[in-house]
Amino acid sequence: MTDTLPSDTLPSGALASGAPPSAAPASEARSTPEGKSVRFRTERDYAELTPVHVVWEVTLACNLKCQHCGSRAGRPRPDELNTAEALELIDHLAALGTRELTLIGGEAYLRRDWIELIRRSRANGIRTAVQTGARNLTDKRLDEAAEAGLQGIGVSIDGLPDLHDRVRGVLGSYDQAISALKRAKARGLAVSVNTQIGAETAAHLPELMERIIEAGATHWQIQLTVAMGNAVDNPDLLLQPYQLLDVMPLLAKLYREGLERGLLMIVGNNVGYFGPYERMWRGLGDEADHWNGCAAGQGGIGIEADGTIKGCPSLATSLYAAGNVREMSIADIWRHSEKMAFGRVRDVEELYDYCRTCYYADVCRAGCTWTSESLLGKRGNNPYCHHRVLDLAKHGWRERVTKIKDAPAASFAIGEFALVREPIPGAQTVPLPVRDPAKVHVAHRERTAAGGALPSRLKVCRSCDQYVWPHETECPHCAADLAAVERQHAQAAERRRALIEQARRVLGGIGG
């Protein structure tokens, strides 16, 4: 897996029939707010249940041997969609309102008709990108993709050369990845980097940022390595939850430095949640946007090469296969499959352990489903949470994981890990407060007639910069009077605006 987001069976080779493709390109049928990417989800998208972003594993063929590959990529799937099926599927995604399509693998360009897929996607007005390991991404392949309308390329780089080549399993793969970035940039493509953070990665990040900026990257997606597939076979690759205490401040530092140099860090869905940096990066500068729980089946679709549909491309197939486009239309799978809709209907009742009693339980719902369920065999409790790690540390505790069960050899297979809570070496421990789960439950999310679920909206405490529920009058984190600090914040903002305007007038007078 390159990193990045039932009815009667029909005859083999035919897609289930659905609504005819829309005459208007998807990108023209719905607009996004000015300054936002097409992937940004509006309330209308949530209400109307629009699969804004689709990630499609077009083949499982791969020319790398990644130690952390969740899909155990290497050979093509036995029954991958043929060209006609794939092109028809793109038309139906456009009819559903998809605005962005990311082609992944395996390695997408090892599929012979990948250029046709790009061309059809662009003909439907869908923004189209490829995520790649970039081994043998030749000039010819780049030229053909650019000519077909490819708009962006994301290259996976997991550290400096020694670590990257070791994790990716091929000597020289780092050099090829950097070369691909530079050559794609020269062809006018938007270029980004995807980095998985494992146990050894953090020390590489500052220098890696220097190198990817030099290579021309403008976006840098960060995500944690997850205990799925090959990563279960190599558990030493996994970051320990308590290591977030050091990793998250480093990411925040690099985020700020990157902005000053034209590089935007985008944190993945398993990085967070509701720690001191949530306001800074989750909404890409817009504090009204914050983590709103697992987005699987709400704003996006994951597609496997054989036509299997999931709410997220990373979810375990055995647990979350919602249907197959050879047996059911993509529209019916999207709107009616129970395994697609789990994220729309889940609430705090399925949460357990720390996550069930957390202040953010209703809005967070235990973070990334892929991360928690792959790790513990059950969704609803996620130790990779910055808020949680900080809270435990404040009481002298930390958590680590240890493998207790191997994963099967199948793609997207999960094993099982034990979660161990232990004293921080040298720290004085204090019992965690006993929280009543009933008191942290706020409300069920509002559902729309189309079956969508509107996201919760929190506000920011202007004293501690933490998110709080709108009904609060006193901040539960710092005890500030929320109305008072909001007034002070507004007054200070007005003073800043007045000073800036005064400086502009003065400078204007000098210039005259």
Side-chain angles (χ1 to χ4, degrees):
M1 176 175 60
T2 303
D3 323 311
T4 112
L5 85 33
S7 60
D8 294 336
T9 302
L10 295 178
S12 177
L15 283 172
S17 61
S22 169
S27 61
E28 297 173 7
R30 289 180 173 84
S31 60
T32 53
E34 185 177 355
K36 297 287 188 180
S37 73
V38 296
R39 194 184 301 185
F40 177 81
R41 296 177 181 90
T42 65
E43 289 221 344
R44 181 179 177 183
D45 292 324
Y46 283 104
E48 297 182 358
L49 211 57
T50 305
V52 171
H53 181 214
V54 173
V55 180
W56 185 357
E57 168 214 284
V58 294
T59 181
L60 211 54
C62 193
N63 52 18
L64 292 173
K65 303 173 184 177
C66 301
Q67 294 180 22
H68 50 30
C69 181
S71 61
R72 301 190 189 276
R75 297 178 180 275
R77 291 183 186 274
D79 195 15
E80 297 185 348
L81 296 179
N82 62 37
T83 301
E85 291 172 321
L87 295 177
E88 186 178 358
L89 177 54
I90 292 172
D91 292 341
H92 286 286
L93 290 172
L96 282 174
T98 295
R99 298 195 291 269
E100 182 171 8
L101 176 63
T102 300
L103 304 181
I104 66 169
E107 192 58 83
Y109 53 76
L110 294 183
R111 181 174 168 123
R112 292 182 178 180
D113 60 2
W114 76 297
I115 296 299
E116 294 182 61
L117 305 187
I118 294 170
R119 189 170 286 115
R120 179 62 68 90
S121 179
R122 294 297 299 123
N124 276 291
I126 300 173
R127 176 173 174 78
T128 310
V130 169
Q131 184 67 35
T132 175
R135 184 186 180 196
N136 295 332
L137 182 52
T138 62
D139 286 341
K140 180 176 183 293
R141 284 169 167 155
L142 278 173
D143 287 339
E144 290 175 344
E147 186 278 330
L150 187 71
Q151 292 159 292
I153 180 171
V155 179
S156 299
I157 306 179
D158 290 329
L160 300 178
D162 176 67
L163 175 61
H164 176 88
D165 287 1
R166 175 159 43 91
V167 170
R168 294 281 166 177
V170 175
L171 190 64
S173 57
Y174 171 89
D175 290 336
Q176 291 198 43
I178 291 291
S179 170
L181 276 177
K182 294 177 179 179
R183 290 182 290 116
K185 183 81 170 183
R187 286 162 172 79
L189 299 177
V191 292
S192 63
V193 169
N194 184 302
T195 298
Q196 289 202 32
I197 298 180
E200 301 179 61
T201 317
H204 291 238
L205 295 178
E207 176 61 23
L208 180 59
M209 187 175 82
E210 296 291 331
R211 296 191 183 192
I212 66 174
I213 289 175
E214 181 184 353
T218 57
H219 294 74
W220 189 15
Q221 179 166 311
I222 301 292
Q223 66 186 61
L224 305 182
T225 298
V226 172
M228 173 176 274
N230 291 351
V232 184
D233 303 337
N234 300 284
D236 290 344
L237 291 177
L238 300 178
L239 189 78
Q240 288 294 340
Y242 67 82
Q243 291 178 298
L244 290 177
L245 289 172
D246 297 320
V247 170
M248 298 297 276
L250 173 61
L251 293 181
K253 176 177 181 290
L254 296 178
Y255 178 93
R256 296 186 184 101
E257 293 177 0
L259 278 184
E260 295 175 356
R261 302 174 62 188
L263 179 73
L264 177 62
M265 179 187 290
I266 302 171
V267 296
N269 288 339
N270 66 0
V271 178
Y273 311 90
F274 293 106
Y277 313 119
E278 181 73 20
R279 187 168 74 96
M280 179 179 71
W281 56 32
R282 188 67 62 185
L284 306 181
D286 183 353
E287 67 182 30
D289 296 325
H290 52 73
W291 176 252
N292 263 295
C294 176
Q298 297 190 77
I301 293 175
I303 306 175
E304 294 184 1
D306 63 357
T308 298
I309 305 297
K310 301 183 292 190
C312 167
S314 302
L315 291 172
T317 309
S318 60
L319 300 173
Y320 291 100
N324 190 291
V325 294
R326 286 175 169 143
E327 302 167 358
M328 190 176 180
S329 74
I330 184 71
D332 283 345
I333 296 172
W334 171 246
R335 297 195 179 279
H336 305 304
S337 172
E338 180 180 347
K339 290 185 177 180
M340 178 65 71
F342 81 94
R344 307 166 198 164
V345 301
R346 69 188 296 192
D347 60 25
V348 296
E349 298 308 318
E350 73 170 34
L351 307 187
Y352 65 101
D353 195 66
Y354 184 97
C355 288
R356 179 62 184 90
T357 64
C358 179
Y359 176 76
Y360 297 107
D362 277 273
V363 64
C364 182
R365 291 170 290 135
C368 172
T369 300
W370 171 43
T371 302
S372 59
E373 189 151 28
S374 298
L375 189 73
L376 303 176
K378 177 184 177 183
R379 67 180 185 235
N381 184 38
N382 190 342
Y384 287 99
C385 164
H386 196 204
H387 171 76
R388 170 176 176 155
V389 169
L390 288 170
D391 188 29
L392 290 174
K394 184 172 65 176
H395 295 87
W397 300 95
R398 72 179 193 180
E399 290 177 322
R400 60 180 174 84
V401 296
T402 180
K403 189 172 82 169
I404 59 176
K405 182 181 177 182
D406 286 330
S411 297
F412 301 103
I414 62 175
E416 189 173 346
F417 287 69
L419 181 60
V420 179
R421 186 172 296 171
E422 61 190 12
I424 295 175
Q428 182 178 356
T429 60
V430 178
L432 290 173
V434 177
R435 301 183 178 98
D436 180 359
K439 290 184 178 180
V440 301
H441 183 58
V442 178
H444 291 286
R445 291 189 301 162
E446 181 183 350
R447 299 292 301 282
T448 68
L454 298 180
S456 301
R457 293 299 180 197
L458 307 183
K459 63 182 181 180
V460 176
C461 169
R462 300 303 180 181
S463 175
C464 65
D465 276 348
Q466 297 276 47
Y467 281 93
V468 298
W469 286 97
H471 68 269
E472 302 278 20
T473 57
E474 180 180 286
C475 178
H477 309 298
C478 70
D481 181 322
L482 290 168
V485 296
E486 182 63 37
R487 286 194 299 271
Q488 294 166 7
H489 174 79
Q491 291 166 0
E494 182 58 37
R495 285 195 296 272
R496 286 193 299 272
R497 282 192 292 270
L499 288 170
I500 291 171
E501 182 57 33
Q502 182 182 8
R504 284 175 176 164
R505 287 197 299 270
V506 171
L507 291 173
I510 293 173

